[in-house]
Amino acid sequence: RRILEQGHAVGNHTDHHVNGWKCPTTQYLQEVATCDQRLPETRLFRPPYGRISRKQISNLGHRTIVMWDVLTHDYNNALSPSRCLAGTLKAVRPGSIVVFHDSLKAARNMETVLPAFITEVSTGVTYSGRSKCSAGPMAQSKSVLICVMDWGLGHATRSLLLIRELI
């Protein structure tokens, strides 16, 4: 409830983070239905791993499928928070959808990088290669969507999609 009150949108991400390319359609749709029971009503859906079949898409009908163009790699423990932030800022463009992961595996990077990223994008400052500039592509941006995938910090049965639009 608090997430919605703070202006975020919530979407379905299946109940157990299943890969649509490796899951029969009937089982996949059951995963979506089970997750629906745990969430407030939503039309938003992001397929885990970005993998979903045409048949699964057609059976989801009324949903808006949310994909992304910037994957932060925050789950990669070999990547330092500063390199994670730099790479994310280098990849982001006006209208980007950026994915962060709220999981134990990603916690170190996500908890450091997400607030810094929001600050950078909100002020219109981004990276161009390795040097900061104040007139980067985000300075003229109308919005960036940030998706935080909540895997329940080890409880995969609570997958959801949290979206925040920055203007």
Side-chain angles (χ1 to χ4, degrees):
R1 192 170 298 138
R2 192 179 97 207
I3 290 170
L4 295 172
E5 289 170 358
Q6 292 178 345
H8 302 278
V10 177
N12 193 311
H13 193 55
T14 74
D15 199 40
H16 292 96
H17 202 258
V18 295
N19 182 332
W21 292 357
K22 296 180 178 180
C23 182
T25 298
T26 305
Q27 180 184 348
Y28 194 82
L29 296 173
Q30 183 58 52
E31 285 281 331
V32 173
T34 303
C35 188
D36 274 343
Q37 294 171 5
R38 301 176 193 279
L39 300 174
E41 187 175 335
T42 182
R43 292 185 57 207
L44 300 173
F45 179 76
R46 189 182 90 66
Y49 311 102
R51 296 188 175 150
I52 186 169
S53 72
R54 287 189 171 127
K55 185 174 180 182
Q56 291 161 347
I57 290 171
S58 67
N59 279 280
L60 290 173
H62 68 286
R63 298 190 186 264
T64 300
I65 296 181
V66 180
M67 298 303 269
W68 70 95
D69 65 316
V70 179
L71 183 61
T72 61
H73 299 281
D74 55 351
Y75 51 82
N76 181 349
N77 288 320
L79 192 62
S80 70
S82 62
R83 287 190 63 205
C84 182
L85 176 62
T88 301
L89 289 171
K90 185 176 178 181
V92 74
R93 300 287 179 263
S96 281
I97 297 178
V98 182
V99 174
F100 284 88
H101 298 85
D102 183 12
S103 66
L104 291 174
K105 187 175 178 181
R108 178 188 65 134
N109 282 333
M110 193 276 293
E111 290 172 358
T112 303
V113 175
L114 180 58
F117 176 79
I118 290 171
T119 298
E120 294 281 342
V121 171
S122 297
T123 59
V125 176
T126 189
Y127 282 84
S128 175
R130 293 185 178 190
S131 60
K132 278 191 177 183
C133 63
S134 59
M138 297 314 298
Q140 296 82 30
S141 174
K142 292 184 178 178
S143 66
V144 171
L145 291 178
I146 299 174
C147 300
V148 179
M149 310 318 297
D150 176 1
W151 293 354
L153 291 176
H155 304 285
T157 57
R158 292 186 47 233
S159 297
L160 60 87
L161 169 66
L162 168 71
I163 300 178
R164 177 66 178 180
E165 185 170 1
L166 298 177
I167 298 177

